[in-house]
Amino acid sequence: MLQLQYIKDHRDEVISRLKIKNVQDVENRIDSIIRLDEQRRLLQAKADAVKADQNRIAKEIGALMKQGRRDEAEAAKARTATLKAEEKELGEQRSAVSSQLDEQLISLPNAPHPSVPVGKSEADNVVVGEFGTKPELAANSLPHWDLCAKYDIVDFELGNKITGAGFPVYKGKGARLQRALINFFLNEAADAGFIEIQPPLMVNEASGLGTGQLPDKEGQMYAVPLDGFYMIPTAEVPITNIYRGEIVSADQFPIKHVGYSECFRREAGSYGKDVRGLNRLHEFSKVEIVVIEHPDRSYSQLEEMKKHVGGLLDKLGLPYHILKLCGGDISFTSAMTFDFEVWSAAQKRWLEVSSVSNFETFQANRMKLRFKDTDGKMKLAHTLNGSALALPRIMAALLENNQTDDGIVMPEVLRPYLGFDKIA
């Protein structure tokens, strides 16, 4: 959530930045927020004045009673009753205005960094780096869903039988490849200074609100209405919420965590060739890195996180490029995002495997995550996260890019985790 004081102090800047995200009717929305805040403050001032009158009259009543001026004392008591009713009415009005203000603030997206490219959709994202060499496959090469069937390593029909579409069953060497990737990613993150967290797979509404999944993404989340819980779409949600309502020390920065979890996304409306096989699932495994950082260093931290993700892909031998997302494709909560996409040689297309984002104070303001700076002032921290990495499309690219007539050759870095060097 954007800080109200910042909106008031930098109205034109906020409007300009939100226009990068193509926020509709942004001037009126910002002015409505400022106007509601003025109304709230005016109502509070009136309520305070009424309360002061009550306190003054209460003192007068005592003096009047001592002087035997009972009629005047009774009139003062009646005036106090009127003032109490007036104070109550002003309080109810202020509460209603505050609710409107909160609703409008929470529905306003994060303001993107000024350097975020202008654009309407993913077609306007900017490639900022391309790495590795795309493999040349034989004419008889197969897409990963056919490879999964050929080697019996992922069973999509069995998952459909047990649960439904988008819930595959990993079998044999496919299951071992999943486990190997998870352990490899976790160990690499530990070597980079991230502290591992094993988070719950369900969160409450406050946690969803804290990181911005609610109220923006209810349609994409699996809900457990009886208990008021939501299945997590990413480990970012529970890990970041560890610090909800906390005051951390400036000398703790950067606070770096990594967590593996299953992730659950409804992906409503997804269909077509782009969702075949492992391309888009309702349940999938992912390793997530989360950083809480000082505002002065969050963008240098973002670069470090990008290097970490790129290093994983380099070690796996996967060709990839990095996209800087434009305003029309960046998420509701993000101030800046870089997507990593790997090349799928059999499908001949790029597959997104990671988003690395800086949310600046947007999540911290919702969560009231603060720190005392060296100047003694209480400030909001910056939060960042990134996929390091999401497994399904990594697995898809590994299977497709490394297929040979004799089987699928595994990257050397995974072999100690796998116990085999080829799926055949």
Side-chain angles (χ1 to χ4, degrees), residues 390-405:
L391 270 68
R393 295 169 188 166
I394 289 289
M395 188 170 180
L398 286 174
L399 297 177
E400 293 182 5
N401 295 5
N402 296 313
Q403 61 182 299
T404 70
D405 291 338

Side-chain angles (χ1 to χ4, degrees), residues 41-63:
R41 290 174 177 273
L42 179 60
L43 289 165
Q44 184 62 59
K46 288 181 177 179
D48 290 343
V50 169
K51 186 67 176 177
D53 282 346
Q54 289 183 64
N55 293 337
R56 176 182 54 78
I57 293 172
K59 293 178 181 178
E60 291 177 358
I61 290 171

